[in-house]
Amino acid sequence: VVAISASGFSNLALDTLGRVWAWGAGGLGALGDGTFSDRSTPFVVPGLPRIVAITAGNSISLAGAADGSGWAWGDNESGQLGDSRYDIQPSPIRLTNLDGLTDFSVGNQHVVARGPGNGVRSWGRNGYGPLGTGDTIDRAVPTAVNGLPQILQLAAGFTHSVAVASDGNVWAWGSNGGGELADGTAAVVNVPADIQGLANITTLAAGAIHSLALGADGSVWGWGA
């Protein structure tokens, strides 16, 4: 095994052959075996090409393939599987218009990703603006997030998103009730905004309503609830 990802209800593991293993709760199809059954032992998820990256989200699972294609399965109430539909998919399906996938992160019911062309895409539930599209309309297909510089890494919280740019600056958008956007207010922001006073960041992580950042000098920064 070379990577593992755990959500509240299910787990994924990636092995050296590019196979994805899954186990845990399958009530919303998050295990990808074509059923809605729980599994107490790991099994190989069928129907996938060689995979290089995995993420277990809230009743959904995402995988990035070696050929740049993106795959998803599980709950799809808000279009978070990115296949233009809103029905549960218990088997892997290929994401629409997202070949060249390089990085992705799953929030509660939304996803942010890089690719193709290193641009940022988002889809799923958008009630508090975590898609960064300038509105609060759900998207069932990957949609471009405008107004960002070149992004190196993304992280999705419960209903907010953060990104670190190639210049080390951090951008955030979405819900802000707990200070997730670090702008000194509690106002929702549905387009990307540069976080002031935070520079030379290399890595980000997003919790439910807080975020953490690692600086190039080894310093750790936190904000939110």
Side-chain angles (χ1 to χ4, degrees), residues 28-30 36 58-62 72-91 93 95 108-109 111 123-125 138-141:
L28 290 172
F36 301 97
N58 181 22
S59 298
I60 72 169
S61 300
L62 266 74
W73 57 96
D75 187 20
N76 200 23
E77 176 185 1
S78 300
Q80 59 265 47
L81 298 188
D83 70 332
S84 77
R85 295 176 290 183
Y86 291 89
D87 52 332
I88 293 174
Q89 300 292 332
S91 298
I93 55 175
L95 297 178
N108 179 43
Q109 289 185 312
V111 182
W123 62 96
R125 186 170 179 81
D138 296 349
R139 301 293 202 284
V141 295

PDB file of all heavy atoms in Angstrom, residues 28-30 36 58-62 72-91 93 95 108-109 111 123-125 138-141:
ATOM      1  N   LEU A  28     -24.484   4.430   0.790  1.00  0.00           N
ATOM      2  CA  LEU A  28     -24.700   5.381  -0.299  1.00  0.00           C
ATOM      3  C   LEU A  28     -23.779   5.095  -1.487  1.00  0.00           C
ATOM      4  O   LEU A  28     -23.538   5.968  -2.310  1.00  0.00           O
ATOM      5  CB  LEU A  28     -24.482   6.813   0.208  1.00  0.00           C
ATOM      6  CG  LEU A  28     -25.560   7.320   1.177  1.00  0.00           C
ATOM      7  CD1 LEU A  28     -25.153   8.661   1.774  1.00  0.00           C
ATOM      8  CD2 LEU A  28     -26.905   7.440   0.475  1.00  0.00           C
ATOM      9  N   GLY A  29     -23.288   3.867  -1.561  1.00  0.00           N
ATOM     10  CA  GLY A  29     -22.491   3.468  -2.714  1.00  0.00           C
ATOM     11  C   GLY A  29     -21.044   3.884  -2.678  1.00  0.00           C
ATOM     12  O   GLY A  29     -20.343   3.808  -3.693  1.00  0.00           O
ATOM     13  N   ALA A  30     -20.549   4.342  -1.515  1.00  0.00           N
ATOM     14  CA  ALA A  30     -19.202   4.897  -1.432  1.00  0.00           C
ATOM     15  C   ALA A  30     -18.090   3.868  -1.582  1.00  0.00           C
ATOM     16  O   ALA A  30     -16.924   4.235  -1.707  1.00  0.00           O
ATOM     17  CB  ALA A  30     -19.030   5.638  -0.104  1.00  0.00           C
ATOM     18  N   PHE A  36     -24.945  -1.468  -2.174  1.00  0.00           N
ATOM     19  CA  PHE A  36     -25.069  -0.523  -1.069  1.00  0.00           C
ATOM     20  C   PHE A  36     -24.824  -1.235   0.251  1.00  0.00           C
ATOM     21  O   PHE A  36     -25.340  -0.844   1.297  1.00  0.00           O
ATOM     22  CB  PHE A  36     -26.456   0.122  -1.090  1.00  0.00           C
ATOM     23  CG  PHE A  36     -26.740   0.865  -2.366  1.00  0.00           C
ATOM     24  CD1 PHE A  36     -27.457   0.260  -3.385  1.00  0.00           C
ATOM     25  CD2 PHE A  36     -26.258   2.141  -2.564  1.00  0.00           C
ATOM     26  CE1 PHE A  36     -27.710   0.930  -4.575  1.00  0.00           C
ATOM     27  CE2 PHE A  36     -26.497   2.826  -3.748  1.00  0.00           C
ATOM     28  CZ  PHE A  36     -27.222   2.214  -4.754  1.00  0.00           C
ATOM     29  N   ASN A  58     -17.218  12.390   2.225  1.00  0.00           N
ATOM     30  CA  ASN A  58     -18.444  12.134   2.964  1.00  0.00           C
ATOM     31  C   ASN A  58     -19.402  11.335   2.089  1.00  0.00           C
ATOM     32  O   ASN A  58     -20.200  11.905   1.348  1.00  0.00           O
ATOM     33  CB  ASN A  58     -19.072  13.458   3.399  1.00  0.00           C
ATOM     34  CG  ASN A  58     -20.347  13.266   4.187  1.00  0.00           C
ATOM     35  OD1 ASN A  58     -20.588  12.208   4.755  1.00  0.00           O
ATOM     36  ND2 ASN A  58     -21.178  14.292   4.218  1.00  0.00           N
ATOM     37  N   SER A  59     -19.313  10.011   2.161  1.00  0.00           N
ATOM     38  CA  SER A  59     -20.142   9.075   1.385  1.00  0.00           C
ATOM     39  C   SER A  59     -19.864   9.128  -0.106  1.00  0.00           C
ATOM     40  O   SER A  59     -20.683   8.684  -0.902  1.00  0.00           O
ATOM     41  CB  SER A  59     -21.639   9.317   1.649  1.00  0.00           C
ATOM     42  OG  SER A  59     -21.939   9.100   3.014  1.00  0.00           O
ATOM     43  N   ILE A  60     -18.734   9.725  -0.512  1.00  0.00           N
ATOM     44  CA  ILE A  60     -18.288   9.630  -1.900  1.00  0.00           C
ATOM     45  C   ILE A  60     -16.808   9.291  -1.913  1.00  0.00           C
ATOM     46  O   ILE A  60     -16.100   9.485  -0.921  1.00  0.00           O
ATOM     47  CB  ILE A  60     -18.532  10.923  -2.706  1.00  0.00           C
ATOM     48  CG1 ILE A  60     -17.563  12.031  -2.265  1.00  0.00           C
ATOM     49  CG2 ILE A  60     -19.960  11.394  -2.583  1.00  0.00           C
ATOM     50  CD1 ILE A  60     -17.573  13.228  -3.187  1.00  0.00           C
ATOM     51  N   SER A  61     -16.346   8.760  -3.036  1.00  0.00           N
ATOM     52  CA  SER A  61     -14.937   8.439  -3.198  1.00  0.00           C
ATOM     53  C   SER A  61     -14.465   8.973  -4.538  1.00  0.00           C
ATOM     54  O   SER A  61     -15.200   8.922  -5.524  1.00  0.00           O
ATOM     55  CB  SER A  61     -14.719   6.920  -3.147  1.00  0.00           C
ATOM     56  OG  SER A  61     -15.142   6.382  -1.909  1.00  0.00           O
ATOM     57  N   LEU A  62     -13.244   9.494  -4.574  1.00  0.00           N
ATOM     58  CA  LEU A  62     -12.650   9.995  -5.802  1.00  0.00           C
ATOM     59  C   LEU A  62     -11.297   9.352  -6.027  1.00  0.00           C
ATOM     60  O   LEU A  62     -10.575   9.056  -5.070  1.00  0.00           O
ATOM     61  CB  LEU A  62     -12.471  11.513  -5.760  1.00  0.00           C
ATOM     62  CG  LEU A  62     -13.602  12.348  -6.375  1.00  0.00           C
ATOM     63  CD1 LEU A  62     -14.808  12.338  -5.462  1.00  0.00           C
ATOM     64  CD2 LEU A  62     -13.142  13.774  -6.628  1.00  0.00           C
ATOM     65  N   ALA A  72     -15.219   8.747  -9.870  1.00  0.00           N
ATOM     66  CA  ALA A  72     -15.932   8.988  -8.630  1.00  0.00           C
ATOM     67  C   ALA A  72     -17.078   7.999  -8.479  1.00  0.00           C
ATOM     68  O   ALA A  72     -17.585   7.457  -9.458  1.00  0.00           O
ATOM     69  CB  ALA A  72     -16.470  10.421  -8.599  1.00  0.00           C
ATOM     70  N   TRP A  73     -17.501   7.798  -7.222  1.00  0.00           N
ATOM     71  CA  TRP A  73     -18.654   6.942  -6.952  1.00  0.00           C
ATOM     72  C   TRP A  73     -19.202   7.274  -5.574  1.00  0.00           C
ATOM     73  O   TRP A  73     -18.522   7.829  -4.735  1.00  0.00           O
ATOM     74  CB  TRP A  73     -18.282   5.455  -7.056  1.00  0.00           C
ATOM     75  CG  TRP A  73     -17.153   4.983  -6.168  1.00  0.00           C
ATOM     76  CD1 TRP A  73     -17.247   4.395  -4.952  1.00  0.00           C
ATOM     77  CD2 TRP A  73     -15.746   5.056  -6.467  1.00  0.00           C
ATOM     78  NE1 TRP A  73     -15.999   4.095  -4.458  1.00  0.00           N
ATOM     79  CE2 TRP A  73     -15.064   4.476  -5.367  1.00  0.00           C
ATOM     80  CE3 TRP A  73     -15.005   5.544  -7.543  1.00  0.00           C
ATOM     81  CZ2 TRP A  73     -13.677   4.388  -5.318  1.00  0.00           C
ATOM     82  CZ3 TRP A  73     -13.614   5.458  -7.495  1.00  0.00           C
ATOM     83  CH2 TRP A  73     -12.963   4.875  -6.395  1.00  0.00           C
ATOM     84  N   GLY A  74     -20.500   6.972  -5.379  1.00  0.00           N
ATOM     85  CA  GLY A  74     -21.141   7.211  -4.096  1.00  0.00           C
ATOM     86  C   GLY A  74     -22.303   8.175  -4.181  1.00  0.00           C
ATOM     87  O   GLY A  74     -22.995   8.272  -5.201  1.00  0.00           O
ATOM     88  N   ASP A  75     -22.518   8.935  -3.102  1.00  0.00           N
ATOM     89  CA  ASP A  75     -23.637   9.876  -3.003  1.00  0.00           C
ATOM     90  C   ASP A  75     -23.494  10.971  -4.057  1.00  0.00           C
ATOM     91  O   ASP A  75     -22.387  11.411  -4.371  1.00  0.00           O
ATOM     92  CB  ASP A  75     -23.665  10.477  -1.607  1.00  0.00           C
ATOM     93  CG  ASP A  75     -24.891  11.327  -1.353  1.00  0.00           C
ATOM     94  OD1 ASP A  75     -25.887  11.168  -2.086  1.00  0.00           O
ATOM     95  OD2 ASP A  75     -24.851  12.147  -0.418  1.00  0.00           O
ATOM     96  N   ASN A  76     -24.638  11.420  -4.580  1.00  0.00           N
ATOM     97  CA  ASN A  76     -24.589  12.414  -5.665  1.00  0.00           C
ATOM     98  C   ASN A  76     -25.728  13.416  -5.550  1.00  0.00           C
ATOM     99  O   ASN A  76     -26.164  13.998  -6.539  1.00  0.00           O
ATOM    100  CB  ASN A  76     -24.639  11.697  -7.022  1.00  0.00           C
ATOM    101  CG  ASN A  76     -24.115  12.541  -8.166  1.00  0.00           C
ATOM    102  OD1 ASN A  76     -23.342  13.468  -7.956  1.00  0.00           O
ATOM    103  ND2 ASN A  76     -24.533  12.226  -9.371  1.00  0.00           N
ATOM    104  N   GLU A  77     -26.204  13.643  -4.338  1.00  0.00           N
ATOM    105  CA  GLU A  77     -27.373  14.486  -4.105  1.00  0.00           C
ATOM    106  C   GLU A  77     -27.196  15.889  -4.660  1.00  0.00           C
ATOM    107  O   GLU A  77     -28.142  16.490  -5.170  1.00  0.00           O
ATOM    108  CB  GLU A  77     -27.663  14.554  -2.602  1.00  0.00           C
ATOM    109  CG  GLU A  77     -28.804  15.468  -2.220  1.00  0.00           C
ATOM    110  CD  GLU A  77     -28.968  15.603  -0.719  1.00  0.00           C
ATOM    111  OE1 GLU A  77     -28.175  15.000   0.026  1.00  0.00           O
ATOM    112  OE2 GLU A  77     -29.883  16.325  -0.285  1.00  0.00           O
ATOM    113  N   SER A  78     -25.967  16.414  -4.563  1.00  0.00           N
ATOM    114  CA  SER A  78     -25.709  17.781  -5.004  1.00  0.00           C
ATOM    115  C   SER A  78     -24.817  17.838  -6.241  1.00  0.00           C
ATOM    116  O   SER A  78     -24.231  18.878  -6.532  1.00  0.00           O
ATOM    117  CB  SER A  78     -25.059  18.568  -3.867  1.00  0.00           C
ATOM    118  OG  SER A  78     -25.896  18.607  -2.738  1.00  0.00           O
ATOM    119  N   GLY A  79     -24.697  16.728  -6.948  1.00  0.00           N
ATOM    120  CA  GLY A  79     -23.864  16.694  -8.140  1.00  0.00           C
ATOM    121  C   GLY A  79     -22.389  16.545  -7.845  1.00  0.00           C
ATOM    122  O   GLY A  79     -21.548  16.821  -8.705  1.00  0.00           O
ATOM    123  N   GLN A  80     -22.039  16.073  -6.638  1.00  0.00           N
ATOM    124  CA  GLN A  80     -20.637  16.031  -6.236  1.00  0.00           C
ATOM    125  C   GLN A  80     -19.821  14.953  -6.939  1.00  0.00           C
ATOM    126  O   GLN A  80     -18.596  14.903  -6.776  1.00  0.00           O
ATOM    127  CB  GLN A  80     -20.508  15.885  -4.717  1.00  0.00           C
ATOM    128  CG  GLN A  80     -21.159  14.657  -4.105  1.00  0.00           C
ATOM    129  CD  GLN A  80     -22.555  14.920  -3.584  1.00  0.00           C
ATOM    130  OE1 GLN A  80     -23.365  15.523  -4.271  1.00  0.00           O
ATOM    131  NE2 GLN A  80     -22.844  14.467  -2.386  1.00  0.00           N
ATOM    132  N   LEU A  81     -20.460  14.108  -7.748  1.00  0.00           N
ATOM    133  CA  LEU A  81     -19.710  13.129  -8.538  1.00  0.00           C
ATOM    134  C   LEU A  81     -19.278  13.692  -9.885  1.00  0.00           C
ATOM    135  O   LEU A  81     -18.499  13.071 -10.602  1.00  0.00           O
ATOM    136  CB  LEU A  81     -20.522  11.851  -8.744  1.00  0.00           C
ATOM    137  CG  LEU A  81     -20.899  11.079  -7.476  1.00  0.00           C
ATOM    138  CD1 LEU A  81     -21.532   9.740  -7.841  1.00  0.00           C
ATOM    139  CD2 LEU A  81     -19.690  10.871  -6.568  1.00  0.00           C
ATOM    140  N   GLY A  82     -19.794  14.858 -10.243  1.00  0.00           N
ATOM    141  CA  GLY A  82     -19.317  15.546 -11.430  1.00  0.00           C
ATOM    142  C   GLY A  82     -19.623  14.872 -12.743  1.00  0.00           C
ATOM    143  O   GLY A  82     -18.904  15.083 -13.732  1.00  0.00           O
ATOM    144  N   ASP A  83     -20.719  14.108 -12.807  1.00  0.00           N
ATOM    145  CA  ASP A  83     -21.053  13.383 -14.044  1.00  0.00           C
ATOM    146  C   ASP A  83     -22.302  13.935 -14.718  1.00  0.00           C
ATOM    147  O   ASP A  83     -22.886  13.279 -15.576  1.00  0.00           O
ATOM    148  CB  ASP A  83     -21.237  11.898 -13.755  1.00  0.00           C
ATOM    149  CG  ASP A  83     -22.492  11.596 -12.952  1.00  0.00           C
ATOM    150  OD1 ASP A  83     -22.931  12.480 -12.182  1.00  0.00           O
ATOM    151  OD2 ASP A  83     -23.048  10.501 -13.083  1.00  0.00           O
ATOM    152  N   SER A  84     -22.728  15.122 -14.326  1.00  0.00           N
ATOM    153  CA  SER A  84     -23.884  15.851 -14.854  1.00  0.00           C
ATOM    154  C   SER A  84     -25.208  15.333 -14.319  1.00  0.00           C
ATOM    155  O   SER A  84     -26.261  15.861 -14.676  1.00  0.00           O
ATOM    156  CB  SER A  84     -23.917  15.829 -16.397  1.00  0.00           C
ATOM    157  OG  SER A  84     -24.381  14.591 -16.900  1.00  0.00           O
ATOM    158  N   ARG A  85     -25.180  14.331 -13.446  1.00  0.00           N
ATOM    159  CA  ARG A  85     -26.415  13.785 -12.882  1.00  0.00           C
ATOM    160  C   ARG A  85     -26.467  14.038 -11.380  1.00  0.00           C
ATOM    161  O   ARG A  85     -25.536  14.561 -10.794  1.00  0.00           O
ATOM    162  CB  ARG A  85     -26.502  12.279 -13.174  1.00  0.00           C
ATOM    163  CG  ARG A  85     -26.633  11.956 -14.654  1.00  0.00           C
ATOM    164  CD  ARG A  85     -26.621  10.467 -14.904  1.00  0.00           C
ATOM    165  NE  ARG A  85     -25.302   9.887 -14.660  1.00  0.00           N
ATOM    166  CZ  ARG A  85     -25.002   8.601 -14.868  1.00  0.00           C
ATOM    167  NH1 ARG A  85     -25.936   7.770 -15.310  1.00  0.00           N
ATOM    168  NH2 ARG A  85     -23.789   8.152 -14.648  1.00  0.00           N
ATOM    169  N   TYR A  86     -27.604  13.647 -10.768  1.00  0.00           N
ATOM    170  CA  TYR A  86     -27.772  13.845  -9.339  1.00  0.00           C
ATOM    171  C   TYR A  86     -28.226  12.558  -8.641  1.00  0.00           C
ATOM    172  O   TYR A  86     -28.748  12.622  -7.531  1.00  0.00           O
ATOM    173  CB  TYR A  86     -28.798  14.956  -9.073  1.00  0.00           C
ATOM    174  CG  TYR A  86     -28.324  16.329  -9.473  1.00  0.00           C
ATOM    175  CD1 TYR A  86     -28.542  16.814 -10.756  1.00  0.00           C
ATOM    176  CD2 TYR A  86     -27.650  17.144  -8.566  1.00  0.00           C
ATOM    177  CE1 TYR A  86     -28.103  18.072 -11.124  1.00  0.00           C
ATOM    178  CE2 TYR A  86     -27.201  18.407  -8.928  1.00  0.00           C
ATOM    179  CZ  TYR A  86     -27.446  18.863 -10.210  1.00  0.00           C
ATOM    180  OH  TYR A  86     -27.002  20.119 -10.578  1.00  0.00           O
ATOM    181  N   ASP A  87     -28.010  11.409  -9.252  1.00  0.00           N
ATOM    182  CA  ASP A  87     -28.407  10.153  -8.636  1.00  0.00           C
ATOM    183  C   ASP A  87     -27.184   9.396  -8.138  1.00  0.00           C
ATOM    184  O   ASP A  87     -26.080   9.525  -8.669  1.00  0.00           O
ATOM    185  CB  ASP A  87     -29.215   9.289  -9.605  1.00  0.00           C
ATOM    186  CG  ASP A  87     -28.522   9.108 -10.940  1.00  0.00           C
ATOM    187  OD1 ASP A  87     -27.752  10.000 -11.334  1.00  0.00           O
ATOM    188  OD2 ASP A  87     -28.738   8.069 -11.586  1.00  0.00           O
ATOM    189  N   ILE A  88     -27.379   8.602  -7.091  1.00  0.00           N
ATOM    190  CA  ILE A  88     -26.309   7.821  -6.481  1.00  0.00           C
ATOM    191  C   ILE A  88     -25.686   6.891  -7.513  1.00  0.00           C
ATOM    192  O   ILE A  88     -26.385   6.278  -8.326  1.00  0.00           O
ATOM    193  CB  ILE A  88     -26.855   7.017  -5.295  1.00  0.00           C
ATOM    194  CG1 ILE A  88     -27.287   7.954  -4.157  1.00  0.00           C
ATOM    195  CG2 ILE A  88     -25.816   6.025  -4.778  1.00  0.00           C
ATOM    196  CD1 ILE A  88     -27.965   7.252  -3.002  1.00  0.00           C
ATOM    197  N   GLN A  89     -24.358   6.790  -7.475  1.00  0.00           N
ATOM    198  CA  GLN A  89     -23.626   5.904  -8.376  1.00  0.00           C
ATOM    199  C   GLN A  89     -22.781   4.943  -7.537  1.00  0.00           C
ATOM    200  O   GLN A  89     -21.743   5.325  -7.008  1.00  0.00           O
ATOM    201  CB  GLN A  89     -22.733   6.721  -9.315  1.00  0.00           C
ATOM    202  CG  GLN A  89     -23.471   7.705 -10.193  1.00  0.00           C
ATOM    203  CD  GLN A  89     -24.330   7.003 -11.229  1.00  0.00           C
ATOM    204  OE1 GLN A  89     -24.032   5.897 -11.654  1.00  0.00           O
ATOM    205  NE2 GLN A  89     -25.421   7.636 -11.629  1.00  0.00           N
ATOM    206  N   PRO A  90     -23.206   3.665  -7.391  1.00  0.00           N
ATOM    207  CA  PRO A  90     -22.460   2.723  -6.555  1.00  0.00           C
ATOM    208  C   PRO A  90     -21.264   2.086  -7.246  1.00  0.00           C
ATOM    209  O   PRO A  90     -20.543   1.297  -6.630  1.00  0.00           O
ATOM    210  CB  PRO A  90     -23.511   1.668  -6.204  1.00  0.00           C
ATOM    211  CG  PRO A  90     -24.416   1.654  -7.387  1.00  0.00           C
ATOM    212  CD  PRO A  90     -24.483   3.085  -7.874  1.00  0.00           C
ATOM    213  N   SER A  91     -21.028   2.431  -8.515  1.00  0.00           N
ATOM    214  CA  SER A  91     -19.866   1.946  -9.256  1.00  0.00           C
ATOM    215  C   SER A  91     -19.103   3.151  -9.810  1.00  0.00           C
ATOM    216  O   SER A  91     -19.691   4.211 -10.053  1.00  0.00           O
ATOM    217  CB  SER A  91     -20.292   1.029 -10.406  1.00  0.00           C
ATOM    218  OG  SER A  91     -20.949  -0.123  -9.923  1.00  0.00           O
ATOM    219  N   ILE A  93     -17.569   6.006 -11.981  1.00  0.00           N
ATOM    220  CA  ILE A  93     -17.904   6.673 -13.235  1.00  0.00           C
ATOM    221  C   ILE A  93     -16.834   7.713 -13.519  1.00  0.00           C
ATOM    222  O   ILE A  93     -16.203   8.241 -12.607  1.00  0.00           O
ATOM    223  CB  ILE A  93     -19.290   7.342 -13.177  1.00  0.00           C
ATOM    224  CG1 ILE A  93     -19.366   8.315 -11.988  1.00  0.00           C
ATOM    225  CG2 ILE A  93     -20.403   6.318 -13.118  1.00  0.00           C
ATOM    226  CD1 ILE A  93     -20.632   9.113 -11.920  1.00  0.00           C
ATOM    227  N   LEU A  95     -15.343  11.284 -14.486  1.00  0.00           N
ATOM    228  CA  LEU A  95     -15.742  12.678 -14.362  1.00  0.00           C
ATOM    229  C   LEU A  95     -15.840  13.328 -15.734  1.00  0.00           C
ATOM    230  O   LEU A  95     -15.066  13.018 -16.641  1.00  0.00           O
ATOM    231  CB  LEU A  95     -14.736  13.453 -13.510  1.00  0.00           C
ATOM    232  CG  LEU A  95     -14.584  13.009 -12.052  1.00  0.00           C
ATOM    233  CD1 LEU A  95     -13.515  13.836 -11.368  1.00  0.00           C
ATOM    234  CD2 LEU A  95     -15.892  13.137 -11.301  1.00  0.00           C
ATOM    235  N   ASN A 108     -17.647  18.502   2.314  1.00  0.00           N
ATOM    236  CA  ASN A 108     -18.843  17.766   2.732  1.00  0.00           C
ATOM    237  C   ASN A 108     -19.618  17.263   1.520  1.00  0.00           C
ATOM    238  O   ASN A 108     -19.836  16.057   1.361  1.00  0.00           O
ATOM    239  CB  ASN A 108     -19.735  18.649   3.597  1.00  0.00           C
ATOM    240  CG  ASN A 108     -20.997  17.945   4.030  1.00  0.00           C
ATOM    241  OD1 ASN A 108     -20.956  16.779   4.410  1.00  0.00           O
ATOM    242  ND2 ASN A 108     -22.121  18.638   3.969  1.00  0.00           N
ATOM    243  N   GLN A 109     -20.000  18.183   0.624  1.00  0.00           N
ATOM    244  CA  GLN A 109     -20.710  17.803  -0.594  1.00  0.00           C
ATOM    245  C   GLN A 109     -20.187  18.582  -1.795  1.00  0.00           C
ATOM    246  O   GLN A 109     -20.919  18.830  -2.744  1.00  0.00           O
ATOM    247  CB  GLN A 109     -22.217  18.023  -0.424  1.00  0.00           C
ATOM    248  CG  GLN A 109     -22.874  17.038   0.523  1.00  0.00           C
ATOM    249  CD  GLN A 109     -24.381  17.218   0.579  1.00  0.00           C
ATOM    250  OE1 GLN A 109     -24.897  18.319   0.716  1.00  0.00           O
ATOM    251  NE2 GLN A 109     -25.094  16.119   0.458  1.00  0.00           N
ATOM    252  N   VAL A 111     -16.401  19.408  -4.300  1.00  0.00           N
ATOM    253  CA  VAL A 111     -15.046  18.981  -4.659  1.00  0.00           C
ATOM    254  C   VAL A 111     -14.330  20.141  -5.338  1.00  0.00           C
ATOM    255  O   VAL A 111     -14.932  20.876  -6.124  1.00  0.00           O
ATOM    256  CB  VAL A 111     -15.076  17.770  -5.617  1.00  0.00           C
ATOM    257  CG1 VAL A 111     -13.660  17.311  -5.954  1.00  0.00           C
ATOM    258  CG2 VAL A 111     -15.879  16.616  -5.013  1.00  0.00           C
ATOM    259  N   TRP A 123     -17.114  21.497  -8.197  1.00  0.00           N
ATOM    260  CA  TRP A 123     -18.462  21.013  -8.480  1.00  0.00           C
ATOM    261  C   TRP A 123     -19.094  20.478  -7.191  1.00  0.00           C
ATOM    262  O   TRP A 123     -18.420  20.259  -6.195  1.00  0.00           O
ATOM    263  CB  TRP A 123     -18.460  19.937  -9.567  1.00  0.00           C
ATOM    264  CG  TRP A 123     -17.692  18.680  -9.260  1.00  0.00           C
ATOM    265  CD1 TRP A 123     -18.179  17.505  -8.757  1.00  0.00           C
ATOM    266  CD2 TRP A 123     -16.285  18.458  -9.460  1.00  0.00           C
ATOM    267  NE1 TRP A 123     -17.178  16.579  -8.632  1.00  0.00           N
ATOM    268  CE2 TRP A 123     -16.009  17.130  -9.060  1.00  0.00           C
ATOM    269  CE3 TRP A 123     -15.236  19.238  -9.935  1.00  0.00           C
ATOM    270  CZ2 TRP A 123     -14.726  16.581  -9.125  1.00  0.00           C
ATOM    271  CZ3 TRP A 123     -13.958  18.690  -9.996  1.00  0.00           C
ATOM    272  CH2 TRP A 123     -13.711  17.383  -9.599  1.00  0.00           C
ATOM    273  N   GLY A 124     -20.428  20.325  -7.218  1.00  0.00           N
ATOM    274  CA  GLY A 124     -21.167  19.831  -6.066  1.00  0.00           C
ATOM    275  C   GLY A 124     -22.017  20.910  -5.420  1.00  0.00           C
ATOM    276  O   GLY A 124     -22.451  21.861  -6.068  1.00  0.00           O
ATOM    277  N   ARG A 125     -22.226  20.787  -4.122  1.00  0.00           N
ATOM    278  CA  ARG A 125     -23.094  21.705  -3.380  1.00  0.00           C
ATOM    279  C   ARG A 125     -22.412  23.058  -3.224  1.00  0.00           C
ATOM    280  O   ARG A 125     -21.221  23.129  -2.903  1.00  0.00           O
ATOM    281  CB  ARG A 125     -23.445  21.115  -2.021  1.00  0.00           C
ATOM    282  CG  ARG A 125     -24.468  21.942  -1.236  1.00  0.00           C
ATOM    283  CD  ARG A 125     -24.959  21.182  -0.019  1.00  0.00           C
ATOM    284  NE  ARG A 125     -25.903  21.945   0.766  1.00  0.00           N
ATOM    285  CZ  ARG A 125     -27.191  22.076   0.486  1.00  0.00           C
ATOM    286  NH1 ARG A 125     -27.678  21.474  -0.577  1.00  0.00           N
ATOM    287  NH2 ARG A 125     -27.992  22.780   1.252  1.00  0.00           N
ATOM    288  N   ASP A 138     -25.645  25.041  -7.228  1.00  0.00           N
ATOM    289  CA  ASP A 138     -24.949  23.762  -7.300  1.00  0.00           C
ATOM    290  C   ASP A 138     -24.492  23.481  -8.729  1.00  0.00           C
ATOM    291  O   ASP A 138     -25.143  23.910  -9.697  1.00  0.00           O
ATOM    292  CB  ASP A 138     -25.848  22.616  -6.827  1.00  0.00           C
ATOM    293  CG  ASP A 138     -26.223  22.728  -5.355  1.00  0.00           C
ATOM    294  OD1 ASP A 138     -25.634  23.571  -4.642  1.00  0.00           O
ATOM    295  OD2 ASP A 138     -27.112  21.975  -4.917  1.00  0.00           O
ATOM    296  N   ARG A 139     -23.388  22.753  -8.860  1.00  0.00           N
ATOM    297  CA  ARG A 139     -22.874  22.357 -10.163  1.00  0.00           C
ATOM    298  C   ARG A 139     -22.695  20.845 -10.198  1.00  0.00           C
ATOM    299  O   ARG A 139     -22.078  20.263  -9.304  1.00  0.00           O
ATOM    300  CB  ARG A 139     -21.521  23.013 -10.454  1.00  0.00           C
ATOM    301  CG  ARG A 139     -21.521  24.541 -10.439  1.00  0.00           C
ATOM    302  CD  ARG A 139     -22.342  25.126 -11.577  1.00  0.00           C
ATOM    303  NE  ARG A 139     -21.980  26.485 -11.923  1.00  0.00           N
ATOM    304  CZ  ARG A 139     -22.295  27.571 -11.230  1.00  0.00           C
ATOM    305  NH1 ARG A 139     -22.964  27.457 -10.091  1.00  0.00           N
ATOM    306  NH2 ARG A 139     -21.937  28.774 -11.644  1.00  0.00           N
ATOM    307  N   ALA A 140     -23.203  20.197 -11.258  1.00  0.00           N
ATOM    308  CA  ALA A 140     -23.082  18.744 -11.395  1.00  0.00           C
ATOM    309  C   ALA A 140     -21.974  18.347 -12.363  1.00  0.00           C
ATOM    310  O   ALA A 140     -21.785  17.163 -12.624  1.00  0.00           O
ATOM    311  CB  ALA A 140     -24.406  18.135 -11.861  1.00  0.00           C
ATOM    312  N   VAL A 141     -21.251  19.325 -12.883  1.00  0.00           N
ATOM    313  CA  VAL A 141     -20.079  19.065 -13.726  1.00  0.00           C
ATOM    314  C   VAL A 141     -18.957  19.991 -13.276  1.00  0.00           C
ATOM    315  O   VAL A 141     -19.209  21.087 -12.756  1.00  0.00           O
ATOM    316  CB  VAL A 141     -20.368  19.277 -15.229  1.00  0.00           C
ATOM    317  CG1 VAL A 141     -21.386  18.268 -15.730  1.00  0.00           C
ATOM    318  CG2 VAL A 141     -20.851  20.696 -15.487  1.00  0.00           C
TER     319      VAL A 141
END
